[in-house]
Amino acid sequence: IRSYFTFNVKYLGPLRDEPKPVYPLSGTTDPRDVGFRGEHTAAVLDMHKNTHVLYVPSDSFKLPGSIPSQERVSLITAVSDWLNYMGVVHNLRTTDKGKLGHELKVATTGTGALHDLTHVGVGVSQVLPILVLSLLAEPDSTLIFEQPELHLHPRVQTRLAEFFVAMSMLGKQCIVETH
């Protein structure tokens, strides 16, 4: 029971960490743990960006009646696909800055330049930890999210719901508390 709750139950609180130019290093017991506020997301994404994960591509939700497929791709590819589908980000890059921590830069839809999260909408910093945590979780995990829709445009909220459906197709149970 202790092992299940330690490794298979993941929780993300309602107020995600505020955007920063560089995210400082911090030690955690689980190298896939984004933290209760998503404060370790940049580091986890950078360390695991080439880790292959099983995911349902966003294309499965673009056409009504399409049959969802599962693919094994790198974490960065899966995260990029869903961020692009949500219309939040069309490109992202993480960089290990050594003792300073990890840098996370994104290009929002309509721009080509990469910016840190302090220069883009708060929605990116709200949804990114959800995607990273969910995609790295093992099948049969229970993922608990408080107010995942906070600070998101209604269209992004709808597509985030589709992401939760995709996670359930992979055998991951999502518990969502919302208003």
Side-chain angles (χ1 to χ4, degrees):
I1 290 175
R2 181 176 297 160
S3 175
Y4 178 80
F5 280 99
T6 301
F7 298 108
N8 291 75
V9 175
K10 308 290 183 183
Y11 168 80
L12 191 59
L15 297 172
R16 262 59 91 204
D17 202 23
E18 61 189 49
K20 299 177 178 80
V22 176
Y23 295 83
L25 295 171
S26 61
T28 62
T29 56
D30 183 357
R32 294 174 173 233
D33 181 18
V34 299
F36 290 133
R37 297 182 59 217
E39 65 270 21
H40 308 305
T41 301
V44 171
L45 182 58
D46 187 56
M47 290 186 304
H48 295 285
K49 62 184 165 190
N50 295 319
T51 299
H52 281 81
V53 296
L54 189 62
Y55 95 120
V56 176
S58 64
D59 287 346
S60 299
F61 296 91
K62 289 180 181 171
L63 297 172
S66 61
I67 298 171
S69 62
Q70 296 179 4
E71 294 181 20
R72 187 165 293 281
V73 298
S74 66
L75 175 64
I76 197 82
T77 300
V79 168
S80 296
D81 174 37
W82 276 97
L83 285 174
N84 190 31
Y85 176 61
M86 290 177 184
V88 178
V89 167
H90 77 267
N91 190 14
L92 76 149
R93 183 183 72 211
T94 60
T95 308
D96 184 348
K97 294 291 191 178
K99 292 180 182 180
L100 297 175
H102 294 268
E103 180 181 66
L104 175 62
K105 292 199 172 207
V106 299
T108 56
T109 305
T111 66
L114 291 166
H115 300 282
D116 62 54
L117 294 186
T118 61
H119 293 96
V120 298
V122 177
V124 178
S125 63
Q126 294 296 301
V127 76
L128 190 59
I130 295 169
L131 298 180
V132 173
L133 173 100
S134 300
L135 289 164
L136 281 174
E138 295 295 325
D140 295 326
S141 292
T142 300
L143 311 174
I144 305 168
F145 302 101
E146 282 192 65
Q147 300 178 24
E149 80 289 355
L150 204 58
H151 301 295
L152 297 179
H153 184 278
R155 184 187 68 189
V156 179
Q157 292 174 352
T158 300
R159 293 187 174 174
L160 181 59
E162 291 173 347
F163 176 77
F164 290 140
V165 169
M167 290 302 98
S168 70
M169 291 174 175
L170 297 171
K172 301 173 187 182
Q173 180 180 11
C174 297
I175 300 173
V176 177
E177 179 275 327
T178 183
H179 292 157

